[in-house]
Structure formats: C-alpha cells, structure tokens
Amino acid sequence: NNAYNIIIIIIIIMEDGISPQEYLDGSDSSTNTLSTPPPTPPPTPPPQILLRFCHAENTPLEATGLSLNSFARGAVGMSTLFLGPALLVLAKDAASASVVQMSNREEGNDENDDEGRVYGMRPTSLLTNIGIFSNLFSILLLPLFGAIVDHTPHRKAVGQFSAILLSLIKGLEVFVSRSTWFLVAVLQVVNFVLYNAHLCAVYAYTAEVSKIFY
C-alpha cells in the first residue's frame, strides 16, 4: 500500500509540473512565478525626429548651437525691419505737432524745411542717426567685448547675457507709441551694440565647428 501511495503521489506531482524536491519543501514553482512582479519596461526613447532636429548626427554640439542661434538672430533682424518705418511715422507726427517748425521759419533758418524738427533733428534722419550712434558705440565697445571673449573664460557668459538683454529690449519694443517712440529709438542703439557683442561670442565658437567627428 505504501509503495502504491508513493507511485500515485509521483504521478500527481508530474502532472502538476512540480519537482519532487519542491513538493517535499512545500513550495510551488507555478505559484512563485505568478507572485513575482513583471519586470519594469525600459523608458521609451524620444522620437528620432526630435533628436535629429536638436542635434545632427556626427556633428559638434557647437554646430547645432550656431544653427539654432541663427533662427533667433533672424527674428531680431525682422523685428528691426518692421520697427523702423513705425519710428519714422511717429517721429514725423511728433515733428509736425511741435512748435519748433514755426520758430525755425520765423528765425529764417530754413524756409524750405517743411518737415519740422524733433529733438533737434529732422524726422527723416532718425534711422540715419540711429545707425551713426550704433556704429560709433560699437567701435568703442567691441574691442572690450573681443578681449573678454578671447582672453577670459567668460565667452559663454557674454553670449548668454547679451541674448537675455536683446530679448528684453525686443519685449519693450511692443510698447512703442507716440509717447515712447524716442525711448524705443534710443534702445535701438543699445540693441545694435548688444547684437554685435553677441556675435563676438557666437563667432568665437566657429573654431570648434571645424572639428571632424566620426
């Protein structure tokens, strides 16, 4: 009877897929398998199109930075193109509404001056004067920015802070009006100087772009 019982137990164990040692130990491999939590799936990688857009394959990181920076510099240039005609119109309106035109005609300074003057200048000369002062201050300050970029470890800081200030100036340009146009015109001089300082820092990274990576 004992041998018969042992044979029956072995047959039952084999049908359940349990080894004799596991049966004697009181453990069940199927139960353990069910109780074990499934493995955590690996994180989903970002889409390849984003990686290709943000960083081209087998290219220096500086090349990607220069490419993205060109988008922002293009926006700065386009905003200046749209702002220039608006400043001319506002300056002309301010000159025609002032009494400077009448005083100049009475003194006989320029009888053919029909444009009037505002802040001592003709309104049509506004953009020319902005360009003159912008280039003048750039000539004076760019050697300083160039020395900082080339001979100090603050090259990246020059690029960062000039970009931040440019963004702030572009935000203030939204408030251009008849009462703020002259302040916005002055900010254009600062904008041009900061833009050139930013270019000093940006173009300093072109040396790294020439490196070839395989």
Side-chain angles (χ1 to χ4, degrees):
N1 292 333
N2 293 334
Y4 178 77
N5 293 333
I6 292 174
I7 293 173
I8 296 299
I9 293 173
I10 292 174
I11 293 174
I12 294 174
I13 291 173
M14 293 177 64
E15 290 180 353
D16 293 339
I18 304 173
S19 64
Q21 184 64 35
E22 291 177 347
Y23 181 80
L24 294 175
D25 295 340
S27 62
D28 190 346
S29 60
S30 61
T31 304
N32 293 335
T33 304
L34 295 175
S35 62
T36 304
T40 303
T44 304
Q48 294 297 323
I49 187 173
L50 295 179
L51 295 177
R52 292 178 181 178
F53 176 77
C54 296
H55 180 55
E57 187 177 1
N58 296 328
T59 58
L61 184 61
E62 288 79 7
T64 304
L66 289 174
S67 300
L68 298 178
N69 184 265
S70 63
F71 287 101
R73 289 190 284 114
V76 172
M78 287 186 291
S79 65
T80 304
L81 292 177
F82 283 102
L83 184 64
L87 290 176
L88 286 177
V89 172
L90 293 173
K92 186 177 180 179
D93 292 342
S96 61
S98 64
V99 295
V100 178
Q101 180 180 0
M102 297 177 59
S103 63
N104 287 337
R105 288 184 176 180
E106 292 176 358
E107 295 175 3
N109 292 333
D110 189 356
E111 297 181 356
N112 297 324
D113 187 6
D114 296 332
E115 295 177 344
R117 293 180 179 271
V118 58
Y119 294 103
M121 61 180 176
R122 295 182 180 180
T124 53
S125 302
L126 177 62
L127 298 183
T128 303
N129 292 332
I130 291 176
I132 291 173
F133 285 103
S134 298
N135 287 284
L136 177 62
F137 285 110
S138 296
I139 291 172
L140 296 176
L141 295 177
L142 281 183
L144 175 62
F145 289 123
I148 295 174
V149 168
D150 292 336
H151 302 289
T152 66
H154 304 300
R155 175 176 63 177
K156 185 177 180 181
V158 172
Q160 287 178 335
F161 286 107
S162 60
I164 292 173
L165 293 176
L166 279 173
S167 301
L168 293 177
I169 290 176
K170 291 303 168 184
L172 293 175
E173 290 176 359
V174 178
F175 302 100
V176 61
S177 63
R178 292 185 177 181
S179 59
T180 61
W181 68 268
F182 186 73
L183 177 60
V184 174
V186 174
L187 287 178
Q188 296 310 297
V189 178
V190 181
N191 172 83
F192 190 82
V193 175
L194 290 174
Y195 185 82
N196 287 329
H198 184 73
L199 288 182
C200 284
V202 169
Y203 289 155
Y205 284 95
T206 55
E208 284 81 358
V209 178
S210 62
K211 296 179 181 179
I212 301 176
F213 292 84
Y214 295 98

